[in-house]
Amino acid sequence: MATLQDELNALLSKHYTADTPGAVILVAKGERILYQHSAGVASKATGAAIIPQTNFRLASVSKQFTAMGVQLLAAEGLLRLQDELSLYFPELEHLGRVQLWHLLNHTSGLPDFEDYIPADQTAQLTDVDVLTLTAAQRHLLYSPGSRFQYSNTAFVLLGLLIERVKGVPYGDFLREYLLRPLQMNDSLLYQTDADIPHRAMGYAKTAAGKFILSDQSIGSATRGDGCMYTSAVDFLKWHQALNSNTLFNINNTLKNNLTSVDAEAGWYYGMGWFYEQLPKDDYLLLHSGDTCGFTNLVMRYPKQDVLVVCFSNIANNQNFLQELLQVLKGFPELMPSSQLAWQLPQLTR
């Protein structure tokens, strides 16, 4: 019978060679790494191979770090999740009584900034640009808290909120309050001149099957919604802190601030995580991340203390993730099956 290692090695070998962009996969249970391997190159220009220390742009997997920043500020008594957004952004007061937890759960009704980017925009959008675009809108899309609708706008504003409350740049806050305490020493928030160690460049595949550089886009520099860079090695440290570090444990905050995505299916969202209720009082936390040059998936089974990480520096690489999930289904003793994971690309766009 094929082992987990055999199956995942075969999957990586099937899709990537020594000169194509590729992926890294990590599976851990408790303190034990059950699988950690990679294939492909981090940069076609340099030929540097992807390794477990390679830093990938997380895209929407970044949202959990933004949510944790807000939780830390709440723990300091500097804000409450029930506070209205206009308390910190008076320029948004005309949009109605949106509370912070609505932003964290994608129920704010805030307009999608992507729909209002000027047609002649050539420079990358900043977080302040997103605030300006949002403030120019006259009304919300729906009443806050009335339904789930995935929103990058909300998490961009949460990153700005952290800056306004703490009075320091968001990247500095993350480094001082999250990354340094957890010894995630190679992780950082993207900025144009950032020196990113072990950096993976992003690529897209053309119809002819050629990989072209696709690392940046007009909307890829906004921070709170998708600008974290980290590695499989550093993400394991993050997972372990979420399970065991009192300061970073999100379980209580998460369960008290969940919103329904599909109540019948047992799918919810909160604090930068999709949450799936499983049989026998079990549950799964997961999130995907897709941007111009990257496709990512993280899955956590807190009761089993199991983590699955897959980071890829190829855009629109969901087919690879689907095959990965198919492999994982063959090991139910390690990871209970999930229906939500198959739906994530549809839910996050």
Side-chain angles (χ1 to χ4, degrees):
M1 180 179 177
T3 65
L4 179 68
Q5 289 78 7
D6 293 336
E7 295 274 7
L8 293 179
N9 283 342
L11 179 65
L12 287 170
S13 297
K14 172 185 173 183
H15 285 270
Y16 311 117
T17 68
D19 60 358
T20 65
V24 62
I25 299 173
L26 181 147
V27 181
K29 182 175 177 62
E31 298 294 323
R32 204 159 49 96
I33 295 177
L34 304 180
Y35 185 84
Q36 180 179 269
H37 197 57
S38 55
V41 293
S43 168
K44 286 177 64 64
T46 67
I50 295 174
I51 58 176
Q53 292 78 22
T54 297
N55 272 320
F56 292 78
R57 176 191 285 277
L58 295 190
S60 286
V61 176
S62 304
K63 289 180 170 66
Q64 59 197 258
F65 293 90
T66 305
M68 179 60 72
V70 175
Q71 175 174 303
L72 293 179
L73 296 184
E76 285 189 53
L78 298 178
L79 57 79
R80 300 179 312 120
L81 300 189
Q82 294 74 33
D83 286 344
E84 292 189 6
L85 183 62
S86 59
L87 180 63
Y88 306 95
F89 296 96
E91 57 267 59
L92 301 180
E93 186 173 11
H94 65 283
L95 290 179
R97 307 188 65 175
V98 181
Q99 298 179 355
L100 299 186
W101 75 273
H102 293 139
L103 277 70
L104 289 162
N105 292 3
H106 297 300
T107 59
S108 66
L110 288 167
D112 298 319
F113 74 85
E114 297 95 334
D115 293 339
Y116 298 97
I117 299 174
D120 60 351
Q121 181 83 25
T122 56
Q124 285 188 307
L125 287 173
T126 67
D127 295 43
V128 173
D129 291 334
V130 172
L131 176 58
T132 300
L133 289 172
T134 304
Q137 308 312 309
R138 304 320 305 162
H139 54 78
L140 297 172
L141 299 177
Y142 53 85
S143 177
S146 63
R147 63 186 175 93
F148 173 91
Q149 182 170 318
Y150 196 81
S151 172
N152 287 314
T153 301
F155 275 79
V156 174
L157 295 180
L158 288 171
L160 280 176
L161 168 78
I162 291 170
E163 288 190 336
R164 290 195 174 188
V165 171
K166 288 298 289 186
V168 298
Y170 179 47
D172 293 350
F173 172 86
L174 288 176
R175 183 170 57 252
E176 187 67 26
Y177 287 85
L178 277 74
L179 304 177
R180 188 175 294 162
L182 299 180
Q183 298 182 5
M184 297 173 65
N185 299 320
D186 286 340
S187 301
L188 74 166
L189 190 72
Y190 172 81
Q191 58 187 36
T192 304
D193 58 352
D195 181 16
I196 302 173
H198 311 298
R199 179 177 178 176
M201 303 303 293
Y203 296 89
K205 196 171 187 178
T206 68
K210 180 182 178 181
F211 286 104
I212 58 172
L213 187 66
S214 182
D215 192 71
Q216 295 294 315
S217 69
I218 288 175
S220 68
T222 54
R223 299 170 303 167
D225 63 328
C227 250
M228 277 292 299
Y229 271 80
T230 197
S231 65
V233 170
D234 268 5
F235 197 90
L236 177 59
K237 297 175 184 177
W238 175 246
H239 161 76
Q240 291 169 340
L242 296 183
N243 268 4
S244 59
N245 186 304
T246 302
L247 181 62
F248 294 96
N249 190 300
I250 63 166
N251 291 338
N252 288 336
T253 306
L254 177 66
K255 290 181 178 179
N256 290 332
N257 291 280
L258 286 174
T259 193
S260 176
V261 177
D262 186 332
E264 186 175 339
W267 300 347
Y268 303 88
Y269 193 98
M271 301 302 293
W273 286 97
F274 282 93
Y275 177 107
E276 181 174 13
Q277 188 65 54
L278 300 173
K280 299 181 180 178
D281 201 31
D282 203 356
Y283 65 101
L284 166 65
L285 299 177
L286 69 166
H287 215 292
S288 61
D290 307 287
T291 186
C292 52
F294 298 89
T295 307
N296 309 308
L297 177 66
V298 294
M299 305 171 66
R300 301 180 57 238
Y301 294 88
K303 289 185 71 172
Q304 289 85 4
D305 197 7
V306 167
L307 168 69
V308 176
V309 173
C310 181
F311 298 151
S312 172
N313 60 336
I314 301 172
N316 301 315
N317 204 13
Q318 284 84 10
N319 286 342
F320 177 73
L321 293 183
Q322 299 287 357
E323 290 189 39
L324 170 63
L325 292 169
Q326 195 64 53
V327 169
L328 297 177
K329 277 187 174 183
F331 299 87
E333 71 283 0
L334 180 64
M335 290 160 283
S337 64
S338 164
Q339 296 302 313
L340 176 57
W342 296 90
Q343 303 297 324
L344 275 185
Q346 288 74 40
L347 292 172
T348 58
R349 283 289 169 264

